[in-house]
Amino acid sequence: MGFPTGAPAPPPNGARNGPAVSREEFDALFERVRTWGRWSPADRGAWNRVTADHVLRAGALVRTGTVVPMGRPWDTAPGPDNTRPALHYMSDLGDVEAPEPAAHKDFIGADYHGKAVSHLDALSHMAYRGRFYGGGTARDLVGAGGARFGEVAALGPLVTRGVLLDLPAVLGSTWLEPGQAVHAADLTAAEEALGVTIDEGDAVLLRTGRFRRRRELGAWDPGASSAGLHVNAVPLLAERGVALLGGDGDSDVRPSPVEGLHSPVHTLAIAAMGVPLLDNLDLEELSAVCAGTGRYAFLLLVAPLNIPGGTGSPVNPVAVL
């Protein structure tokens, strides 16, 4: 079965996703941003940065009580960006139990680590050279029953300051084209243009306009070509001490600019820095609200499901302004 596509071909020779990065250069960058041994418990990683004071400061950002959800609708429709559709079916149509009151029940399920379901990546989601964040051997720590380190259940909920870096708004475009890399200079330019500064314990959300483009031009395969961060933007986020990174893609520019490594930003964030990731957020409403209020910092709530052994969780993060 074929699907319509709204994407151009992947950029030739890394034209927009570059510059190219060798594995030796990447490994040096991994060591530069690595935070192994910094926190306890280790499997909460950078979420250990967020203290009660961070929560109180984030709460002070609430002025109008505007609540903006960022989770996508549960996507059961197959497509080029949803090759493993989520499941939803009715398990009780009011005809299984005693007649009164009529009970209606349904089942949901998802292979959520993909390009369709809004989800959180826990620290057990990524290993590099066989090792998880902190240095544990992935082969010893993950089995058929799930992860014994870095499970999503160890993270718990997060309440902190969220920062939206709305790149299309800064650049005066509707969206970034698939394959376009975002560099450190783009992040600092966005901070200046939007009047916000990334600080320690923040959750940084990058809008590329992916779902606006999808609605207007149709779906494409974001695993082959998507706008996102170049690895040279990661040291800035490490220096600022972010606790969480997310966006309307999966944070990585694709094709990857690093030879032989398909998800370098995932690798640096999760395996080196201990920073969980939020993937596939719909940031269109948040973009409009932030533009309307002139405020790009807000209270952010992320509450993953309590799944022992889970490598992540579907999630519906909420911004409160």
Side-chain angles (χ1 to χ4, degrees):
M1 178 179 180
F3 299 107
T5 176
N13 302 318
R16 288 179 290 140
N17 67 329
V21 177
S22 70
R23 285 295 288 274
E24 291 75 16
E25 292 170 322
F26 178 83
D27 285 346
L29 181 55
F30 188 98
E31 291 302 315
R32 177 180 169 186
V33 301
R34 186 164 64 97
T35 61
W36 293 6
R38 181 171 299 185
W39 298 294
S40 180
D43 51 3
R44 295 193 76 244
W47 282 21
N48 285 291
R49 296 185 191 273
V50 180
T51 66
D53 286 341
H54 287 93
V55 177
L56 291 171
R57 287 198 293 270
L61 296 171
V62 178
R63 300 177 189 173
T64 64
T66 303
V67 176
V68 184
M70 290 171 273
R72 295 195 67 231
W74 198 246
D75 197 341
T76 60
D81 55 352
N82 193 16
T83 57
R84 301 187 302 274
L87 302 176
H88 178 225
Y89 60 81
M90 298 304 297
S91 56
D92 185 346
L93 294 175
D95 56 358
V96 174
E97 298 178 319
E100 295 295 348
H104 303 88
K105 303 175 184 177
D106 53 354
F107 169 91
I108 60 171
D111 189 353
Y112 59 87
H113 283 298
K115 311 300 181 186
V117 177
S118 301
H119 67 271
L120 177 75
D121 292 338
L123 300 192
S124 55
H125 179 51
M126 284 285 157
Y128 184 56
R129 298 197 182 279
R131 296 193 178 275
F132 281 143
Y133 176 76
T137 303
R139 182 180 296 176
D140 296 334
L141 294 171
V142 178
R148 295 184 294 277
F149 172 85
E151 60 181 359
V152 71
L155 289 175
L158 180 74
V159 179
T160 192
R161 189 179 84 136
V163 172
L164 176 67
L165 297 184
D166 195 336
L167 267 294
V170 171
L171 297 174
S173 60
T174 308
W175 53 69
L176 304 187
E177 285 295 337
Q180 184 172 340
V182 175
H183 302 278
D186 298 313
L187 300 185
T188 55
E191 286 181 306
E192 182 176 357
L194 301 174
V196 68
T197 301
I198 301 167
D199 203 354
E200 183 177 14
D202 282 352
V204 176
L205 306 181
L206 179 72
R207 176 179 175 261
T208 68
R210 172 191 170 192
F211 290 108
R212 171 77 180 272
R213 189 184 194 280
R214 186 182 191 275
R215 282 193 279 271
E216 294 192 16
L217 299 183
W220 71 95
D221 178 7
S225 186
S226 61
L229 292 172
H230 190 279
V231 294
N232 64 19
V234 175
L236 172 66
L237 300 173
E239 291 163 10
R240 300 292 182 84
V242 301
L244 176 65
L245 177 63
D248 52 10
D250 67 1
S251 295
D252 272 282
V253 66
R254 300 185 187 279
S256 167
V258 181
E259 59 177 283
L261 194 62
H262 64 83
S263 299
V265 173
H266 269 64
T267 304
L268 293 174
I270 295 175
M273 297 162 55
V275 173
L277 296 182
L278 284 171
D279 294 349
N280 310 320
L281 304 181
D282 190 334
L283 299 176
E284 297 308 302
E285 182 182 357
L286 182 61
S287 171
V289 170
C290 287
T293 60
R295 296 191 292 128
Y296 286 83
F298 40 84
L299 173 71
L300 178 72
L301 300 95
V302 181
L305 298 176
N306 186 357
I307 307 173
T311 64
S313 168
V315 70
N316 183 18
V318 174
V320 187
L321 290 89

